[in-house]
Amino acid sequence: MALIALIGASETLPDGGLRALVTVAGETLIERQASRLADVGVTHVAVAVGAVPADLLTTLDRIRRRGMKVTPVRAAADLVALVAGDDRIILVADGLRAGGTHYAAIAKPGSPAILVTGDTVLTQGFERIDATRRWGGLASISDHMVRELASMPGEWDMILTLLRMAVQAEARRLYCEPALFEQGEIAIVADRPTAALIEQSSLQRTEYGGMGLGRSAIMMPLVRLAGPLLVRSPATARYLPYVTGLLWVGVALLAASGLAAAGALLAVFGGLGLAAMRFLSAFRAESAAQDRVRAVIRTFAWLLLGAFPWLVALGGEGHDMPPFAEAALAPCLAATILLARWLYEDSGERRRFHWLLPDADQAWIMLAPALLFGLAPLMFAILPLLGLFQILLWLRLAHRPEA
């Protein structure tokens, strides 16, 4: 049994362009849909098309290069040729923008299901299901519904007709709160002004992300200032991992050359690169490979912090051992940050006051001026104690009952 998706890409905008090709935060709607579907196990996407303009062909080629099979279909007979027995088909409304949790919910094994929401002013762009419910833009159907549609005479809107079949078959209904449509988490993008409003709303609602005082208080606010420029260019997400990785390699090379202060200053920019990658992940449907790349860079930066005094001392002119306050306490500082990360991840949904925890960004920001003015041993002695104090304070506040 395989998961196959049928995405709508035939509706046009008032300016004549395809709704599926509208760009939100530097990514077309259909590319975002394909990435979300890939995350839930879909390997073959059928695209319901009327005409196939050149820009749609170019977009479909980009999706194919990411490892997903894409087939344009114009009629139910074309779709039948792609479906085998016991396959499940996920329907995706034309112009839908939804979160990964909604795709995951509709892709779970089981009988056919329909994502539904309330009939409100905010959901008028969705197909009506009954007197009080409207379609949420996602549904899963069985293969025999596709075969039944192919046997029906006449021309039919594939997605809407299959949806009606699922409704008549009394498919399970997964309810979605209409408030999510007000927040822009789910929407049908009917025109470009709507896309611009969704992008602006997403930028305003993006959290500063993750744990850590340095990231939450310094790095992410700086990245958010440049947010509109970062998200509008697809090239940013493509090249940012390479730039960030090279920055951290530069930190290691500068440290090995004995240039400790320069290495620490470059590490601050490397932290900005990691924060920008984390920021962009809120707008891009990342693949597992992209997530692994970010994790590898973050792990390398953490290891570099623990080994930094050794690189500086052994790479200097004298090739001497680093002072004890640096050689012993730098790994302690890295271990303290790792402990904070474990505590944060174990806290699950009860995460509170996570911005108080120590992180590598805070360490590099404090180390850079200390190395510049020759106060490195003192700072390496202070930072682990400061980190433990932050963890204790976080534990105290995080376990306090909520008002």
Side-chain angles (χ1 to χ4, degrees), residues 121-138:
V121 176
L122 300 170
T123 58
Q124 295 301 303
F126 290 86
E127 187 73 9
R128 182 182 293 277
I129 297 293
D130 55 33
T132 60
R133 294 285 183 266
R134 286 187 179 265
W135 185 32
L138 291 170

PDB file of all heavy atoms in Angstrom, residues 121-138:
ATOM      1  N   VAL A 121     -16.860  33.324   8.472  1.00  0.00           N
ATOM      2  CA  VAL A 121     -16.427  34.307   7.477  1.00  0.00           C
ATOM      3  C   VAL A 121     -15.019  34.004   6.993  1.00  0.00           C
ATOM      4  O   VAL A 121     -14.675  34.223   5.824  1.00  0.00           O
ATOM      5  CB  VAL A 121     -16.499  35.728   8.080  1.00  0.00           C
ATOM      6  CG1 VAL A 121     -15.963  36.759   7.101  1.00  0.00           C
ATOM      7  CG2 VAL A 121     -17.921  36.062   8.490  1.00  0.00           C
ATOM      8  N   LEU A 122     -14.185  33.475   7.867  1.00  0.00           N
ATOM      9  CA  LEU A 122     -12.789  33.217   7.535  1.00  0.00           C
ATOM     10  C   LEU A 122     -12.605  32.011   6.630  1.00  0.00           C
ATOM     11  O   LEU A 122     -11.546  31.847   6.029  1.00  0.00           O
ATOM     12  CB  LEU A 122     -11.987  33.006   8.821  1.00  0.00           C
ATOM     13  CG  LEU A 122     -11.971  34.180   9.802  1.00  0.00           C
ATOM     14  CD1 LEU A 122     -11.366  33.759  11.123  1.00  0.00           C
ATOM     15  CD2 LEU A 122     -11.190  35.342   9.214  1.00  0.00           C
ATOM     16  N   THR A 123     -13.602  31.143   6.535  1.00  0.00           N
ATOM     17  CA  THR A 123     -13.438  29.895   5.787  1.00  0.00           C
ATOM     18  C   THR A 123     -14.303  29.859   4.530  1.00  0.00           C
ATOM     19  O   THR A 123     -14.597  28.776   4.012  1.00  0.00           O
ATOM     20  CB  THR A 123     -13.797  28.695   6.687  1.00  0.00           C
ATOM     21  OG1 THR A 123     -15.148  28.833   7.150  1.00  0.00           O
ATOM     22  CG2 THR A 123     -12.870  28.621   7.876  1.00  0.00           C
ATOM     23  N   GLN A 124     -14.691  31.032   4.012  1.00  0.00           N
ATOM     24  CA  GLN A 124     -15.564  31.065   2.847  1.00  0.00           C
ATOM     25  C   GLN A 124     -14.877  30.552   1.587  1.00  0.00           C
ATOM     26  O   GLN A 124     -15.543  30.165   0.624  1.00  0.00           O
ATOM     27  CB  GLN A 124     -16.069  32.494   2.612  1.00  0.00           C
ATOM     28  CG  GLN A 124     -16.955  33.022   3.730  1.00  0.00           C
ATOM     29  CD  GLN A 124     -18.187  32.168   3.953  1.00  0.00           C
ATOM     30  OE1 GLN A 124     -18.968  31.964   3.045  1.00  0.00           O
ATOM     31  NE2 GLN A 124     -18.347  31.657   5.163  1.00  0.00           N
ATOM     32  N   GLY A 125     -13.557  30.529   1.571  1.00  0.00           N
ATOM     33  CA  GLY A 125     -12.854  30.052   0.390  1.00  0.00           C
ATOM     34  C   GLY A 125     -12.818  28.551   0.254  1.00  0.00           C
ATOM     35  O   GLY A 125     -12.358  28.031  -0.771  1.00  0.00           O
ATOM     36  N   PHE A 126     -13.300  27.807   1.264  1.00  0.00           N
ATOM     37  CA  PHE A 126     -13.271  26.352   1.246  1.00  0.00           C
ATOM     38  C   PHE A 126     -14.631  25.785   0.835  1.00  0.00           C
ATOM     39  O   PHE A 126     -15.674  26.402   1.056  1.00  0.00           O
ATOM     40  CB  PHE A 126     -12.881  25.805   2.625  1.00  0.00           C
ATOM     41  CG  PHE A 126     -11.444  26.059   2.985  1.00  0.00           C
ATOM     42  CD1 PHE A 126     -11.062  27.252   3.581  1.00  0.00           C
ATOM     43  CD2 PHE A 126     -10.470  25.117   2.724  1.00  0.00           C
ATOM     44  CE1 PHE A 126      -9.747  27.500   3.920  1.00  0.00           C
ATOM     45  CE2 PHE A 126      -9.148  25.355   3.047  1.00  0.00           C
ATOM     46  CZ  PHE A 126      -8.785  26.540   3.649  1.00  0.00           C
ATOM     47  N   GLU A 127     -14.607  24.606   0.260  1.00  0.00           N
ATOM     48  CA  GLU A 127     -15.814  23.931  -0.196  1.00  0.00           C
ATOM     49  C   GLU A 127     -16.709  23.590   0.994  1.00  0.00           C
ATOM     50  O   GLU A 127     -16.236  23.103   2.024  1.00  0.00           O
ATOM     51  CB  GLU A 127     -15.435  22.654  -0.959  1.00  0.00           C
ATOM     52  CG  GLU A 127     -16.576  21.951  -1.627  1.00  0.00           C
ATOM     53  CD  GLU A 127     -17.070  22.680  -2.863  1.00  0.00           C
ATOM     54  OE1 GLU A 127     -16.399  23.651  -3.296  1.00  0.00           O
ATOM     55  OE2 GLU A 127     -18.133  22.290  -3.382  1.00  0.00           O
ATOM     56  N   ARG A 128     -18.013  23.789   0.823  1.00  0.00           N
ATOM     57  CA  ARG A 128     -18.962  23.466   1.879  1.00  0.00           C
ATOM     58  C   ARG A 128     -19.193  21.955   1.936  1.00  0.00           C
ATOM     59  O   ARG A 128     -19.384  21.294   0.915  1.00  0.00           O
ATOM     60  CB  ARG A 128     -20.285  24.182   1.643  1.00  0.00           C
ATOM     61  CG  ARG A 128     -21.318  23.946   2.737  1.00  0.00           C
ATOM     62  CD  ARG A 128     -22.623  24.640   2.402  1.00  0.00           C
ATOM     63  NE  ARG A 128     -22.478  26.088   2.434  1.00  0.00           N
ATOM     64  CZ  ARG A 128     -22.540  26.813   3.562  1.00  0.00           C
ATOM     65  NH1 ARG A 128     -22.714  26.203   4.737  1.00  0.00           N
ATOM     66  NH2 ARG A 128     -22.419  28.122   3.522  1.00  0.00           N
ATOM     67  N   ILE A 129     -19.186  21.407   3.155  1.00  0.00           N
ATOM     68  CA  ILE A 129     -19.443  19.979   3.375  1.00  0.00           C
ATOM     69  C   ILE A 129     -20.914  19.752   3.714  1.00  0.00           C
ATOM     70  O   ILE A 129     -21.578  18.887   3.162  1.00  0.00           O
ATOM     71  CB  ILE A 129     -18.550  19.428   4.492  1.00  0.00           C
ATOM     72  CG1 ILE A 129     -17.065  19.540   4.099  1.00  0.00           C
ATOM     73  CG2 ILE A 129     -18.903  17.981   4.815  1.00  0.00           C
ATOM     74  CD1 ILE A 129     -16.666  18.666   2.942  1.00  0.00           C
ATOM     75  N   ASP A 130     -21.416  20.537   4.649  1.00  0.00           N
ATOM     76  CA  ASP A 130     -22.831  20.470   5.019  1.00  0.00           C
ATOM     77  C   ASP A 130     -23.249  21.841   5.541  1.00  0.00           C
ATOM     78  O   ASP A 130     -22.553  22.837   5.313  1.00  0.00           O
ATOM     79  CB  ASP A 130     -23.093  19.345   6.037  1.00  0.00           C
ATOM     80  CG  ASP A 130     -22.214  19.459   7.277  1.00  0.00           C
ATOM     81  OD1 ASP A 130     -21.900  20.606   7.685  1.00  0.00           O
ATOM     82  OD2 ASP A 130     -21.831  18.425   7.850  1.00  0.00           O
ATOM     83  N   ALA A 131     -24.346  21.890   6.267  1.00  0.00           N
ATOM     84  CA  ALA A 131     -24.872  23.191   6.700  1.00  0.00           C
ATOM     85  C   ALA A 131     -23.946  23.918   7.659  1.00  0.00           C
ATOM     86  O   ALA A 131     -23.966  25.149   7.733  1.00  0.00           O
ATOM     87  CB  ALA A 131     -26.240  22.992   7.350  1.00  0.00           C
ATOM     88  N   THR A 132     -23.125  23.191   8.408  1.00  0.00           N
ATOM     89  CA  THR A 132     -22.292  23.826   9.444  1.00  0.00           C
ATOM     90  C   THR A 132     -20.797  23.597   9.259  1.00  0.00           C
ATOM     91  O   THR A 132     -20.011  24.105  10.049  1.00  0.00           O
ATOM     92  CB  THR A 132     -22.693  23.297  10.833  1.00  0.00           C
ATOM     93  OG1 THR A 132     -22.503  21.874  10.880  1.00  0.00           O
ATOM     94  CG2 THR A 132     -24.142  23.635  11.136  1.00  0.00           C
ATOM     95  N   ARG A 133     -20.388  22.830   8.270  1.00  0.00           N
ATOM     96  CA  ARG A 133     -18.978  22.474   8.109  1.00  0.00           C
ATOM     97  C   ARG A 133     -18.494  22.802   6.702  1.00  0.00           C
ATOM     98  O   ARG A 133     -19.229  22.724   5.729  1.00  0.00           O
ATOM     99  CB  ARG A 133     -18.764  20.976   8.376  1.00  0.00           C
ATOM    100  CG  ARG A 133     -19.037  20.555   9.809  1.00  0.00           C
ATOM    101  CD  ARG A 133     -17.908  21.001  10.726  1.00  0.00           C
ATOM    102  NE  ARG A 133     -18.126  20.542  12.097  1.00  0.00           N
ATOM    103  CZ  ARG A 133     -18.716  21.245  13.042  1.00  0.00           C
ATOM    104  NH1 ARG A 133     -19.181  22.460  12.749  1.00  0.00           N
ATOM    105  NH2 ARG A 133     -18.858  20.764  14.259  1.00  0.00           N
ATOM    106  N   ARG A 134     -17.226  23.164   6.626  1.00  0.00           N
ATOM    107  CA  ARG A 134     -16.562  23.357   5.347  1.00  0.00           C
ATOM    108  C   ARG A 134     -15.301  22.493   5.310  1.00  0.00           C
ATOM    109  O   ARG A 134     -14.756  22.136   6.347  1.00  0.00           O
ATOM    110  CB  ARG A 134     -16.203  24.827   5.124  1.00  0.00           C
ATOM    111  CG  ARG A 134     -17.419  25.695   4.798  1.00  0.00           C
ATOM    112  CD  ARG A 134     -17.025  27.087   4.412  1.00  0.00           C
ATOM    113  NE  ARG A 134     -18.194  27.903   4.078  1.00  0.00           N
ATOM    114  CZ  ARG A 134     -18.645  28.079   2.848  1.00  0.00           C
ATOM    115  NH1 ARG A 134     -18.019  27.503   1.833  1.00  0.00           N
ATOM    116  NH2 ARG A 134     -19.705  28.833   2.625  1.00  0.00           N
ATOM    117  N   TRP A 135     -14.865  22.211   4.103  1.00  0.00           N
ATOM    118  CA  TRP A 135     -13.663  21.402   3.917  1.00  0.00           C
ATOM    119  C   TRP A 135     -12.435  22.181   4.358  1.00  0.00           C
ATOM    120  O   TRP A 135     -12.311  23.370   4.085  1.00  0.00           O
ATOM    121  CB  TRP A 135     -13.551  21.009   2.438  1.00  0.00           C
ATOM    122  CG  TRP A 135     -12.413  20.072   2.131  1.00  0.00           C
ATOM    123  CD1 TRP A 135     -11.895  19.118   2.954  1.00  0.00           C
ATOM    124  CD2 TRP A 135     -11.669  19.997   0.916  1.00  0.00           C
ATOM    125  NE1 TRP A 135     -10.880  18.444   2.325  1.00  0.00           N
ATOM    126  CE2 TRP A 135     -10.722  18.968   1.067  1.00  0.00           C
ATOM    127  CE3 TRP A 135     -11.721  20.688  -0.287  1.00  0.00           C
ATOM    128  CZ2 TRP A 135      -9.827  18.617   0.062  1.00  0.00           C
ATOM    129  CZ3 TRP A 135     -10.842  20.343  -1.299  1.00  0.00           C
ATOM    130  CH2 TRP A 135      -9.904  19.320  -1.129  1.00  0.00           C
ATOM    131  N   GLY A 136     -11.507  21.495   5.045  1.00  0.00           N
ATOM    132  CA  GLY A 136     -10.273  22.128   5.490  1.00  0.00           C
ATOM    133  C   GLY A 136      -9.151  22.071   4.481  1.00  0.00           C
ATOM    134  O   GLY A 136      -8.030  22.494   4.776  1.00  0.00           O
ATOM    135  N   GLY A 137      -9.410  21.521   3.272  1.00  0.00           N
ATOM    136  CA  GLY A 137      -8.386  21.524   2.227  1.00  0.00           C
ATOM    137  C   GLY A 137      -7.610  20.241   2.082  1.00  0.00           C
ATOM    138  O   GLY A 137      -6.836  20.095   1.135  1.00  0.00           O
ATOM    139  N   LEU A 138      -7.768  19.271   3.003  1.00  0.00           N
ATOM    140  CA  LEU A 138      -7.053  17.990   2.941  1.00  0.00           C
ATOM    141  C   LEU A 138      -8.045  16.851   3.149  1.00  0.00           C
ATOM    142  O   LEU A 138      -8.997  16.979   3.928  1.00  0.00           O
ATOM    143  CB  LEU A 138      -5.962  17.913   4.012  1.00  0.00           C
ATOM    144  CG  LEU A 138      -4.749  18.834   3.859  1.00  0.00           C
ATOM    145  CD1 LEU A 138      -3.899  18.818   5.121  1.00  0.00           C
ATOM    146  CD2 LEU A 138      -3.911  18.412   2.655  1.00  0.00           C
TER     147      LEU A 138
END
